[in-house]
Amino acid sequence: MSDSAIGEVLVSGDDLRRRVAELGRQISEDYADRDLVLVGVLKGAVIFIADLMRYITTPCEVDFMAVSSYGSQTDSSGVVRILKDLDAPIEGRDVLIVEDIIDSGLTLQYLMRNLNARSPSSLEVCALLAKPDRLRVDLEPRYVGFEIPDRFAVGYGLDHGQRYRNLDYVAALEE
Ligand code: IMP
Ligand code: MG
């Protein structure tokens, strides 16, 4: 894609594929003999979860939630609204939230609280990307694909104003 808003490559397509495969193998090991439900957070996690689940070799189901966090275009406020809830109950099940990126962590903190209240057997997080310098809450994701610097990232599902989700690598937005 030739677009002057797309800056430096943060994670190449090859590195994404290698790491996503590795995460899939790890999750398959960790969740063998469990009752795994992957919960993808729309829309950013769509590409990640689609690739990740093909590397999971143990039985699993997939469900989706859509949330919107109030805030500016590049900063979330922690006030989250559920736009689409899960299709099925998760009580007694092993839930793994699949998220595109942890920035402040406020969105995930809200999601964790909300899903925990439904009494899953376990609740963990798998995030493709994390910006450790921006984290504002106490959150320990079980799986993180890559830690990235404090830049606004686009591609591989991540958008800016709904664009650039279709890039097959992760790049910094040129601001
Ligand atoms: P948080 O609540 O600050 O952790 O932000 C989480 C959500 O904001 C993510 O699920 C993304 O949808 C969005 N977001 C945060 N940082 C970025 C970024 O660098 N690029 C694209 N979306 C982002
Ligand atoms: Mg998101």
Side-chain angles (χ1 to χ4, degrees):
M1 208 181 292
S2 116
D3 186 322
S4 60
I6 300 171
E8 173 197 346
V9 176
L10 297 176
V11 188
S12 72
D14 282 344
D15 286 346
L16 282 170
R17 278 180 283 281
R18 199 168 28 76
R19 183 69 179 127
V20 172
E22 203 170 83
L23 287 170
R25 281 192 295 271
Q26 189 63 55
I27 291 166
S28 306
E29 257 177 48
D30 296 347
Y31 285 87
D33 308 315
R34 304 279 290 279
D35 182 22
L36 176 60
V37 185
L38 302 171
V39 171
V41 185
L42 296 173
K43 304 172 196 169
V46 159
I47 295 179
F48 177 39
I49 198 171
D51 284 347
L52 179 69
M53 65 187 295
R54 280 179 279 189
Y55 290 103
I56 297 179
T57 52
T58 48
C60 68
E61 293 179 21
V62 65
D63 206 340
F64 291 96
M65 278 184 91
V67 298
S68 89
S69 59
Y70 295 110
S72 70
Q73 239 190 350
T74 54
D75 274 293
S76 79
S77 61
V79 183
V80 176
R81 192 162 53 109
I82 294 182
L83 304 175
K84 183 225 170 289
D85 206 341
L86 297 176
D87 290 338
I90 52 167
E91 186 177 350
R93 310 200 63 186
D94 295 297
V95 175
L96 181 61
I97 301 175
V98 179
E99 176 61 303
D100 53 358
I101 187 165
I102 304 174
D103 186 71
S104 67
L106 288 163
T107 304
L108 259 180
Q109 185 183 52
Y110 168 86
L111 264 183
M112 297 280 287
R113 282 189 185 147
N114 185 289
L115 295 184
N116 247 327
R118 307 181 197 191
S119 308
S121 171
S122 65
L123 181 63
E124 301 285 350
V125 171
C126 175
L128 177 69
L129 306 171
K131 297 180 197 167
D133 296 345
R134 297 261 304 176
L135 195 63
R136 282 167 55 191
V137 298
D138 184 24
L139 194 82
E140 280 175 32
R142 178 140 183 208
Y143 310 94
V144 172
F146 300 89
E147 295 194 336
I148 61 167
D150 181 8
R151 305 281 300 276
F152 196 83
V154 294
Y156 199 71
L158 291 103
D159 74 304
H160 179 253
Q162 298 302 327
R163 290 187 63 192
Y164 311 118
R165 295 192 198 276
N166 56 325
L167 280 184
D168 70 352
Y169 57 93
V170 175
L173 186 76
E174 209 64 75
E175 290 176 278

